[in-house]
Amino acid sequence: MIQKTQEKLLEIMNLKKQYDDVETLKDISLDVHKGEVVVVLGPSGCGKSTLLRCLNGLEEIQGGQIKLNGEVINADKTKWHLIRQKIGMVFQSYDLFPHMSIIENILLGPTKAQGRDKTEVLAQAEKLLTRVGLLDKKDAYPRQLSGGQKQRVAIVRALCMNPEIMLFDEVTASLDPEMVREVLDVMLELAKQGMTMVIVTHEMAFAKAVADRIVFIDQGQIAEIAKPQDFFNAPTTERAKRFLNIFKFNEESER
Amino acid sequence: MQDLGINVIFEGSNLLRLLIGLWVTMRIAIVAIAISVVLGIAFGIVMTAKNRWIQWIARLYLESIRIIPILVWLFIFYFGITKVLHIHLGAEVVSVLVFSLWGIAEMGDIVRGAITSLPVHQRASGRALGLTDLQIYRYIIIPQAVRRLIPAAINLATRMIKTTSLVVLIGVVEVLKVGQQIIEVSILKTPSASFWVYACIFALYFIICYPISLWSKKLELKWQNQ
């Protein structure tokens, strides 16, 4: 891993989120440093996806602050579309726009939202597509691609906006197992190149390999934060231990 | 030997009069369709708003247009409202007005259906890229919605064209009325006049509506292959 700075890119302070009467997130505080990869783990319904959606304003928060590069970003609702250009997000349901070709999908954000010159964006897009091995598909339409290919395109589409931080919301959860690996490889390479990432995933081996820190969320609160080796080998909290047991299959019949 | 019925159509200026009547029909339909498309799209977008009052008023409008027959609406406007408000509106104006109200309601529902049938995540994807709501509508939602609503919209247009025959009952001299006039004159000499005149009108409506149908199918196929 390249040397990480201590510079804080994203600061989450006392974030609270409520759906009707249910407190989905109760007082989350977390700092993400530049170049760091944070993996968020937790049981279903614990609020991890909601947390990611709060970070780029897709969900409104009822309390707390989010700062990007020291500036508060959740104060003005009307400015979110500008902030979102700096925060890239890839979803579980890829959601490429079906009426546009792959290259058109990638060019839409940079040319329309950022007003960049088309030839410059095209060059960047083709370079990124080559890196993920999909340059030959640039004029194809989304329905002609497999799930893994679509997800890799979704990552390229987000990267072309030149974000400072990338959020990944269970991006391999709806993929067939053979295609999961090709997407995870792209994310590993991204991490090696120093992109700041917040990843929500269920792929434990991947989490262990890519994370600088593991954040374990349970019932809307951060239960444990640790380095991957510490978290997976010696979790300190009961809840974390119970969670990790779900993924273990004991061969000896000890119970 | 009695005249072959079909001659009625080509006698004198009968065919010309039928075509002029057809033009009156088309005029009403085209203007009403144009107004319905423009305002219907706006109405459709309004119908997707979450405000409960807007939903309620929109539904009320749509259901009244659907429940009450168009003919009754024509009578209400032509004989009723003009008397109550003391304004004189020509029959053609009333026709365009009523058909526009009908078209806007139906078109709005079609547009609303097309927009809400798009997966919700499309909008989230667009927002995550930093596009403004206007940009999302323009580049992502509208292009896809248009593809989905073309068949229903064109079907509405042909239905409007056919229903214009009702306006004869508020006195507009359109193709059906002209047909009746021709029949009245020729019926003694040519007993089968009614058959041939109506057959001719049938053909005229067919010539107008069928190409529109074919064009709609062509568009559907073209967009399905994309």
Side-chain angles (χ1 to χ4, degrees):
Chain A
M1 299 279 184
I2 65 175
Q3 187 183 22
K4 306 285 191 280
T5 63
Q6 284 309 298
E7 186 190 322
K8 290 190 199 162
L9 185 55
L10 187 70
E11 294 164 81
I12 307 166
M13 297 178 294
N14 307 108
L15 189 146
K16 284 195 210 354
K17 164 111 195 116
Q18 214 168 299
Y19 270 122
D20 300 323
D21 289 322
V22 179
E23 264 203 311
T24 324
L25 294 169
K26 323 169 181 156
D27 196 19
I28 304 272
S29 295
L30 178 66
D31 291 332
V32 181
H33 305 91
K34 195 148 184 276
E36 190 182 14
V37 177
V38 171
V39 172
V40 179
L41 298 176
S44 302
C46 69
K48 7 186 242 299
S49 284
T50 314
L51 176 62
L52 280 192
R53 295 170 70 89
C54 290
L55 294 182
N56 76 345
L58 288 178
E59 300 275 1
E60 260 184 61
I61 60 177
Q62 278 73 39
Q65 269 193 347
I66 308 172
K67 282 195 195 168
L68 186 68
N69 279 322
E71 269 182 60
V72 179
I73 56 177
N74 64 306
D76 190 354
K77 257 193 283 189
T78 59
K79 298 275 185 297
W80 266 119
H81 65 279
L82 295 168
I83 309 287
R84 285 185 194 126
Q85 294 173 22
K86 303 195 199 148
I87 304 179
M89 183 153 182
V90 187
F91 303 83
Q92 180 176 343
S93 47
Y94 8 97
D95 289 312
L96 302 180
F97 308 125
H99 61 298
M100 297 167 125
S101 69
I102 298 300
I103 194 73
E104 284 167 351
N105 257 280
I106 300 175
L107 292 178
L108 181 67
T111 50
K112 301 295 176 207
Q114 292 176 326
R116 280 155 60 186
D117 174 50
K118 189 165 165 205
T119 31
E120 175 248 318
V121 184
L122 190 59
Q124 183 187 15
E126 289 181 346
K127 205 169 84 180
L128 286 169
L129 279 173
T130 317
R131 251 172 55 193
V132 302
L134 287 172
L135 185 64
D136 56 333
K137 295 267 187 262
K138 75 169 186 182
D139 291 317
Y141 279 86
R143 62 176 206 328
Q144 296 168 298
L145 266 55
S146 73
Q149 292 170 323
K150 281 191 273 202
Q151 203 61 304
R152 284 184 278 155
V153 170
I155 296 178
V156 167
R157 184 175 66 171
L159 285 176
C160 255
M161 298 291 288
N162 294 325
E164 296 182 29
I165 180 171
M166 287 280 282
L167 309 175
F168 293 86
D169 188 5
E170 305 216 36
V171 301
T172 52
S174 24
L175 295 177
D176 289 336
E178 317 88 61
M179 296 192 256
V180 168
R181 185 56 197 250
E182 63 195 35
V183 177
L184 295 182
D185 280 337
V186 171
M187 290 164 75
L188 272 168
E189 214 214 295
L190 213 51
K192 278 207 203 93
Q193 289 171 347
M195 171 64 77
T196 317
M197 297 157 78
V198 180
I199 305 175
V200 170
T201 187
H202 279 301
E203 301 283 337
M204 293 300 150
F206 171 66
K208 212 165 171 184
V210 80
D212 294 314
R213 272 193 298 163
I214 304 275
V215 172
F216 177 66
I217 295 189
D218 190 23
Q219 289 173 7
Q221 286 176 309
I222 297 183
E224 191 168 333
I225 304 184
K227 286 207 175 4
Q229 319 93 287
D230 301 329
F231 181 77
F232 285 104
N233 297 332
T236 54
T237 59
E238 254 319 295
R239 294 195 275 185
K241 286 189 195 147
R242 264 185 280 137
F243 175 71
L244 287 171
N245 266 333
I246 300 174
F247 299 91
K248 289 203 183 91
F249 288 94
N250 288 327
E251 278 154 16
E252 319 92 47
S253 48
E254 49 151 82
R255 257 307 153 129
Chain B
M1 174 107 139
Q2 261 183 334
D3 281 327
L4 244 185
I6 195 169
N7 287 343
V8 175
I9 304 173
F10 299 106
E11 243 173 53
S13 55
N14 282 350
L15 189 57
L16 182 63
R17 287 168 60 205
L18 278 173
L19 288 176
I20 294 177
L22 191 66
W23 169 233
V24 175
T25 297
M26 291 310 293
R27 212 162 53 198
I28 297 176
I30 289 173
V31 175
I33 289 174
I35 296 179
S36 305
V37 166
V38 173
L39 294 182
I41 291 180
F43 182 55
I45 296 180
V46 163
M47 273 175 99
T48 58
K50 297 211 177 55
N51 183 309
R52 228 168 342 137
W53 286 111
I54 296 182
Q55 290 273 336
W56 198 79
I57 296 177
R59 276 251 90 91
L60 187 66
Y61 168 41
L62 182 65
E63 291 304 317
S64 359
I65 297 276
R66 281 187 175 157
I67 293 174
I68 300 176
I70 297 294
L71 184 57
V72 176
W73 279 115
L74 283 170
F75 282 169
I76 289 178
F77 271 85
Y78 190 61
F79 297 118
I81 294 192
T82 47
K83 285 269 158 41
V84 167
L85 295 176
H86 296 292
I87 29 175
H88 175 67
L89 289 172
E92 237 188 273
V93 173
V94 169
S95 307
V96 170
L97 181 65
V98 169
F99 276 80
S100 296
L101 284 176
W102 175 35
I104 293 172
E106 292 276 3
M107 189 69 188
D109 201 41
I110 293 172
V111 168
R112 182 197 56 84
I115 290 182
T116 52
S117 72
L118 293 175
V120 165
H121 303 140
Q122 296 264 323
R123 206 176 298 216
S125 264
R127 290 170 78 195
L129 284 175
L131 294 165
T132 60
D133 280 341
L134 199 64
Q135 287 169 327
I136 293 176
Y137 261 103
R138 185 168 154 203
Y139 297 109
I140 299 170
I141 300 197
I142 302 273
Q144 290 184 77
V146 164
R147 281 164 175 70
R148 282 170 198 227
L149 60 78
I150 287 283
I154 293 192
N155 174 270
L156 175 64
T158 47
R159 273 186 292 140
M160 284 172 79
I161 293 174
K162 289 182 284 185
T163 314
T164 48
S165 47
L166 286 177
V167 305
V168 74
L169 292 165
I170 55 171
V172 178
V173 180
E174 44 73 73
V175 69
L176 222 56
K177 184 79 193 158
V178 172
Q180 286 175 340
Q181 290 169 344
I182 295 176
I183 291 172
E184 272 170 48
V185 169
S186 332
I187 194 76
L188 291 176
K189 215 175 52 169
T190 326
S192 62
S194 37
F195 173 76
W196 290 109
V197 171
Y198 286 129
C200 178
I201 295 177
F202 174 101
L204 289 173
Y205 270 116
F206 191 80
I207 291 171
I208 295 196
C209 293
Y210 192 55
I212 298 179
S213 251
L214 282 181
W215 181 57
S216 159
K217 284 227 172 62
K218 199 178 87 161
L219 282 178
E220 257 183 280
L221 275 172
K222 174 175 131 191
W223 281 331
Q224 227 172 42
N225 284 335
Q226 246 184 9

